[in-house]
Amino acid sequence: MMAFLWAQYASARESGELLYADQYCGCRETVSRWVSDYVWTQMIWLPCNTLFLLVWVALAVKLWNGKRPSR
């Protein structure tokens, strides 16, 4: 995947044209699936998990820093 992205960057930098998966390896479906998985992981899954973690941390801090009844 990283090799394809680097080849895409190099092609765009040299000739100004984008490199398509069929030109690179004849594997358009595979590259499409890799990009889809990458986008899902980086743009949806990780931010949602981070938000979920931050909510739990905020709840824990609120719970543990709350006023305790005096005995």
Side-chain angles (χ1 to χ4, degrees):
M1 176 64 184
M2 295 306 290
F4 175 73
L5 292 175
W6 181 256
Q8 180 76 283
Y9 170 76
S11 174
R13 181 117 190 205
E14 289 174 11
S15 65
E17 294 182 8
L18 295 177
L19 179 67
Y20 294 99
D22 289 340
Q23 297 169 329
Y24 180 70
C25 62
C27 52
R28 187 179 200 119
E29 292 81 20
T30 303
V31 171
S32 174
R33 190 173 53 247
W34 287 344
V35 170
S36 175
D37 290 346
Y38 180 79
V39 168
W40 167 255
T41 301
Q42 297 296 321
M43 303 299 286
I44 298 169
W45 189 79
L46 287 174
C48 287
N49 278 348
T50 303
L51 182 62
F52 188 73
L53 177 66
L54 288 174
V55 167
W56 275 106
V57 168
L59 288 172
V61 168
K62 182 172 175 58
L63 177 68
W64 288 325
N65 285 339
K67 294 190 180 211
R68 297 188 176 123
S70 56
R71 295 182 180 182

